[in-house]
């Protein structure tokens, strides 16, 4: 004789009116809270004589190719700054931070495209600059591009980067292998420093193989041609 299992009792139908009622209450609660936040902000601005426009920093042109945001201190009068800061904390406002990158190029790099194209290629320094500007705009970086044939000028630029830059990309060129002064200047910079070489210096002759700057650099990129500069910018954009 076969024994059959008793059928499990069917589950009761869910109470759809209850679900609808809960969603209705949540939806209306959100609709009621949102206008109240707006009213509070308007009351605070009215009492403190601060306009809503003061809470949004004005955009300032950095140069012909990029735009940056004015600092909160520049955008808001001193007398209204404290109230604006309070309101912006309530609204969880955060200013976007644009990283400042200084790119430094050493001696003879102004001759790129002419000097030993079988090693360095035919890309000129102006083309490298244009490519870096384009990449920086896409990555949200503010760029300063320099080249000098003089060691002291490069040392001065590195020292100025302590106030003017958050990161340095440097191709010291021939000074990579001789300059203790540049190495010491980089030691004073607290941000990341990426050393870039167009050619693979490790496959070069003995004079172009051992960089003193590598010992103080955060990272080294070599052998990628002019794209090494772009790779350095991508790395900096992803650093915390």
């Amino acid at each position: 004789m076969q024994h059959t299992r008793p059928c499990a009792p069917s589950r009761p139908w869910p109470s759809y009116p209850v679900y609808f009622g809960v969603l209705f209450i949540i939806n209306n609660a959100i609709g009621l809270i949102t206008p109240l936040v707006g009213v509070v902000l308007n009351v605070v601005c009215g009492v403190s004589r601060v306009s809503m426009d003061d809470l949004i920093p004005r955009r300032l042109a950095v140069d012909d190719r990029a735009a940056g945001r004015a600092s909160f201190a520049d955008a808001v009068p001193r007398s209204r700054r404290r109230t604006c800061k309070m309101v912006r904390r309530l609204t969880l406002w955060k200013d976007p931070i644009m990283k400042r990158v200084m790119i430094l190029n050493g001696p003879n790099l102004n001759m790129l495209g002419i000097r030993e194209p079988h090693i360095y290629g035919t890309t000129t320094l102006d083309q490298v600059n244009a490519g870096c500007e384009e990449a920086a705009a896409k990555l949200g970086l503010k760029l300063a591009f320099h080249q000098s044939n003089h060691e002291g000028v490069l040392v001065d630029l590195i020292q100025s980067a302590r106030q003017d830059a958050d990161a340095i990309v440097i191709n010291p060129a021939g000074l990579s292998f001789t300059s203790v002064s540049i190495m010491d200047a980089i030691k004073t910079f607290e941000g990341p420093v990426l050393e870039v070489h167009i050619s693979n210096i490790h496959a070069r002759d003995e004079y172009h193989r051992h960089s003193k700057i590598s010992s103080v650099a955060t990272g080294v990129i070599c052998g990628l041609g002019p794209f090494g500069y772009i790779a350095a910018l991508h790395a900096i954009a992803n650093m915390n």
Side-chain angles (χ1 to χ4, degrees):
M1 179 177 177
Q2 294 181 345
H3 295 278
T4 58
R5 296 175 62 184
C7 297
S10 59
R11 295 180 181 178
W13 287 94
S15 180
Y16 288 109
V18 173
Y19 292 164
F20 177 80
V22 172
L23 293 175
F24 179 80
I25 292 173
I26 293 175
N27 184 58
N28 281 276
I30 294 174
L32 290 173
I33 292 173
T34 303
L36 290 176
V37 173
V39 170
V40 171
L41 290 177
N42 278 291
V43 170
V44 172
C45 290
V47 171
S48 60
R49 297 180 181 179
V50 176
S51 68
M52 293 298 290
D53 291 337
D54 286 337
L55 302 181
I56 304 176
R58 297 184 292 272
R59 289 190 176 275
L60 298 180
V62 174
D63 54 27
D64 293 338
R65 293 170 296 275
R69 185 177 294 274
S71 67
F72 181 66
D74 294 334
V76 181
R78 182 179 297 274
S79 59
R80 303 180 182 180
R81 205 168 292 167
R82 184 174 182 180
T83 304
C84 288
K85 286 182 179 178
M86 178 186 69
V87 174
R88 292 172 73 194
R89 289 194 189 101
L90 293 174
T91 58
L92 301 180
W93 179 280
K94 290 185 179 180
D95 281 336
I97 299 175
M98 180 176 285
K99 287 184 180 179
R100 303 164 300 166
V101 182
M102 180 180 289
I103 298 182
L104 301 176
N105 296 276
N108 297 311
L109 287 175
N110 57 314
M111 302 301 290
L112 274 180
I114 300 174
R115 172 175 168 255
E116 298 180 286
H118 61 287
I119 296 177
Y120 303 107
T122 57
T123 303
T124 66
L125 191 63
D126 287 338
Q127 290 172 326
V128 172
N129 187 9
C132 289
E133 291 282 2
E134 182 179 354
K138 292 179 181 178
L139 295 170
L141 302 174
K142 180 181 176 182
L143 204 64
F145 196 93
H146 304 279
Q147 188 277 328
S148 178
N149 293 323
H150 306 286
E151 183 178 20
V153 173
L154 293 172
V155 169
D156 288 340
L157 287 168
I158 294 169
Q159 291 179 358
S160 70
R162 288 169 52 83
Q163 289 79 36
D164 300 336
D166 302 303
I168 293 176
V169 175
I170 182 169
N171 183 348
L175 293 174
S176 307
F177 318 103
T178 61
S179 181
V180 176
S181 298
I182 289 179
M183 182 180 67
D184 288 343
I186 289 176
K187 290 179 181 178
T188 68
F189 184 74
E190 297 178 354
V193 178
L194 296 186
E195 181 184 2
V196 171
H197 295 280
I198 294 174
S199 66
N200 181 3
I201 61 173
H202 303 293
R204 300 284 300 276
D205 58 83
E206 192 64 24
Y207 294 106
H208 297 86
R209 191 175 297 170
H210 306 288
S211 170
K212 295 183 182 295
I213 309 305
S214 298
S215 64
V216 293
T218 307
V220 180
I221 300 172
C222 67
L224 299 183
F227 182 75
Y229 290 86
I230 309 300
L233 292 178
H234 277 272
I236 289 171
N238 286 280
M239 289 179 178
N240 294 325

